[in-house]
Amino acid sequence: PRPYIFAPVRSAATASMKAPELLAPAGNTRNLRYAIAYGADAVYAGMPRYSLRVRNNDFNRVENLAAGIEAVHASGKAFFLASNVLPHNSKVKTFLADMEPVIALGPDALIMADPGLIMLVRERWPDTPVHLSVQANTMNYASVRFWQQQGIKRIILSRELSLDQVEEIRQACPDMELEVFVHGALCIAYSGRCLLSGYFNHRDANQGTCTNSCRWDYKVSDAGVDISGDIRPARIGLIEESGRPGELMPIEEDEHGTYILNSRDLRAVQHVERLVRMGVDSLKIEGRTKSHYYVARTTQVYRRAIDDAVAGRPFDPGLLGSLDNLASRGYTDGFFQRHHDHEYQNYIDGHSKSVTQRFVGELLGYDPHSGLAEVEVKNKFRVGDRLELISPRGNRSFLLQSMQDQNGAPMQEAPGAGYRVRIPLEAGDYALGLLARNLA
């Protein structure tokens, strides 16, 4: 296997001299290409049977994995293979045989959560680096030291940690690689160990088949408990899922809150500078089931935030606005900072919200003789719209002044998905380019 090389862990005092790795999701080969082109240092993907993403995953065949790993390594980047399932006996029995040809492809590390599977990998392939998944819920420096003694190369810290707690672990464990999530969906469960989907649909989130039950449409009503202990409409909450009319489920709350409904998405771009200073080794974007547009935009934004932090440039609040243009359930910075300071409030109030956008097209090619780029339309746009060209080589806005169909006939509007059109652009390299329409 290709040797996994990573820079030595820095102390907090010297962390600002070295950029952390930017780790982006690759749920399929297309997303992998966009992640690398838009600035990722590494990508992670997983075989459906042994990772926690079964849907929207085309790495179910060894040849697809081989092509993905080859493409990433040709770019000088790293490929991490998620094998972070919490398996029942049936998957343990097949694990080593199924992983044999995969290990031969030379992934740079395996991302794992289950101690039994980790033991099997350490015995069979002792030279293969193992990163401990966030599913293992590592929340303190003692746990980090324990896993270090087991030969783990990197710890992906639990999402439930504050910035201060991450820094304390960094200082207590200076010779262990640490990784943290900075963007993406948050599960209302301990890091991701949720039982809702398994309970409702017998599709276990911990086996990679989550149905996102926390994000369904629920109606909420008041309820209470009578003297016999039965639930009656009153002061305690009841929820009713739209697919189960009349089936009322109680929401119970303790001193920490209630946990059944979905969270806002994590967005921690404003904390990148501090994570760089404290010496975190890898910043991770969640989203293996998201689109290539999501992968490109998030990777580009966090690449910029890392580069600015390393160069000593101040945080650009406009990066918050760039992420606002992605589909989300609203944003939170999770547990990183419970009480926002004055500086952070300025970020919230000061970032530009004047430009909202919609993804409208994907550039398929450019003809330098005609000066026209071919666009696969994703959403409606028309002549006179202000568009943003998003490219691995930089972004720019322009006013669309003309448009043609594939036969050269003029068009005023691209009606939506299913069309291909041609638009004039200045000469340039537009490989993996995307178009967004400014809505305001």
Side-chain angles (χ1 to χ4, degrees):
R2 180 176 178 268
Y4 170 44
I5 301 174
F6 194 83
V9 174
R10 292 85 58 200
S11 70
T14 62
S16 60
M17 302 298 291
K18 184 76 174 180
E21 167 192 276
L22 177 58
L23 178 55
N28 53 57
T29 50
R30 177 196 234 181
N31 289 14
L32 181 151
R33 294 196 304 272
Y34 277 86
I36 294 300
Y38 279 81
D41 300 303
V43 298
Y44 64 102
M47 298 171 65
R49 181 169 172 79
Y50 301 108
S51 77
L52 296 186
R53 293 294 183 273
V54 170
R55 62 188 178 91
N56 299 342
N57 188 335
D58 63 3
F59 291 114
N60 56 334
R61 299 167 59 188
V62 172
E63 51 264 41
N64 288 354
L65 270 175
I69 292 174
E70 182 179 2
V72 171
H73 286 171
S75 300
K77 312 298 184 180
F79 185 104
F80 303 143
L81 183 71
S83 300
N84 57 341
V85 71
L86 301 173
H88 297 286
N89 290 329
S90 60
K91 290 186 178 179
V92 175
K93 292 174 183 176
T94 59
F95 180 73
L96 289 177
D98 287 347
M99 290 299 291
E100 188 84 45
V102 176
I103 296 295
L105 299 175
D108 295 278
L110 300 183
I111 301 172
M112 307 186 70
D114 182 71
L117 294 188
I118 290 173
M119 176 189 70
L120 295 177
V121 166
R122 299 288 298 144
E123 290 174 352
R124 178 69 70 88
W125 300 291
D127 295 330
T128 297
V130 174
H131 296 177
L132 189 69
S133 170
V134 71
Q135 296 295 118
N137 305 128
T138 306
M139 301 186 69
N140 60 74
Y141 56 79
S143 293
V144 171
R145 289 171 180 166
F146 167 81
W147 286 111
Q148 188 172 19
Q149 290 176 4
Q150 312 312 308
I152 298 297
K153 185 174 183 63
R154 177 186 294 184
I155 302 291
I156 305 168
L157 293 175
S158 177
R159 290 183 175 96
E160 287 74 31
L161 296 176
S162 69
L163 289 167
D164 290 342
Q165 290 167 332
V166 172
E167 185 160 21
E168 186 176 7
I169 292 173
R170 169 76 292 162
Q171 292 174 350
C173 306
D175 54 348
M176 169 59 83
E177 291 182 18
L178 299 179
E179 177 179 310
V180 299
F181 277 92
V182 291
H183 197 91
L186 291 173
C187 295
I188 299 301
Y190 231 44
S191 276
R193 295 190 178 198
C194 181
L195 303 178
L196 278 179
S197 179
Y199 177 79
F200 282 147
N201 290 323
H202 307 289
R203 288 175 57 182
D204 190 350
N206 301 308
Q207 301 300 311
T209 56
C210 183
T211 58
N212 301 121
S213 307
C214 64
R215 302 168 198 171
W216 294 348
D217 179 22
Y218 293 94
K219 296 178 181 178
V220 182
S221 58
D222 291 335
V225 179
D226 64 18
I227 194 168
S228 65
D230 294 328
I231 294 173
R232 295 286 184 264
R235 292 182 300 276
I236 300 175
L238 289 172
I239 61 171
E240 179 185 7
E241 197 271 313
S242 61
R244 294 171 171 79
E247 191 174 324
L248 302 179
M249 297 172 285
I251 304 174
E252 297 186 15
E253 185 173 7
D254 63 17
E255 67 273 16
H256 301 296
T258 186
Y259 307 95
I260 207 169
L261 298 177
N262 64 287
S263 167
R264 294 183 178 186
D265 289 345
L266 174 65
R267 179 183 63 183
V269 67
Q270 67 275 21
H271 299 307
V272 164
E273 190 271 339
R274 183 172 175 191
L275 292 167
V276 170
R277 272 194 291 114
M278 71 174 67
V280 169
D281 298 279
S282 179
L283 304 184
K284 186 173 191 174
I285 299 168
E286 185 276 340
R288 280 189 283 152
T289 62
K290 298 290 184 67
S291 70
H292 62 297
Y293 180 70
Y294 167 93
V295 171
R297 296 301 313 250
T298 54
T299 301
Q300 187 182 59
V301 166
Y302 281 88
R303 176 79 274 153
R304 164 77 183 281
I306 290 172
D307 292 347
D308 283 351
V310 171
R313 294 187 290 267
F315 173 69
D316 177 6
L319 297 180
L320 293 165
S322 296
L323 295 170
D324 279 339
N325 288 317
L326 294 172
S328 74
R329 294 185 298 278
Y331 286 119
T332 174
D333 60 348
F335 294 88
F336 277 136
Q337 193 168 346
R338 299 294 183 90
H339 303 289
H340 295 133
D341 57 26
H342 179 69
E343 181 182 19
Y344 180 66
Q345 293 294 340
N346 285 343
Y347 288 157
I348 294 174
D349 296 335
H351 80 270
S352 173
K353 294 184 178 179
S354 61
V355 177
T356 56
Q357 294 181 322
R358 177 174 295 143
F359 174 41
V360 295
E362 178 182 331
L363 273 66
L364 301 179
Y366 180 75
D367 179 4
H369 301 293
S370 66
L372 297 175
E374 185 173 6
V375 178
E376 182 172 343
V377 180
K378 300 298 183 181
N379 284 293
K380 181 168 64 176
F381 64 97
R382 60 180 294 111
V383 172
D385 283 343
R386 181 157 290 279
L387 304 180
E388 183 177 14
L389 171 65
I390 303 154
S391 163
R393 289 150 292 282
N395 303 353
R396 65 179 178 85
S397 294
F398 66 98
L399 186 69
L400 182 62
Q401 297 181 331
S402 64
M403 179 166 45
Q404 307 178 358
D405 65 16
Q406 289 188 290
N407 296 319
M411 298 178 66
Q412 288 300 306
E413 181 177 274
Y419 287 83
R420 290 190 178 184
V421 301
R422 294 172 180 170
I423 64 172
L425 289 176
E426 297 175 1
D429 181 2
Y430 297 113
L432 301 183
L434 303 166
L435 286 178
R437 177 169 71 95
N438 292 351
L439 303 179

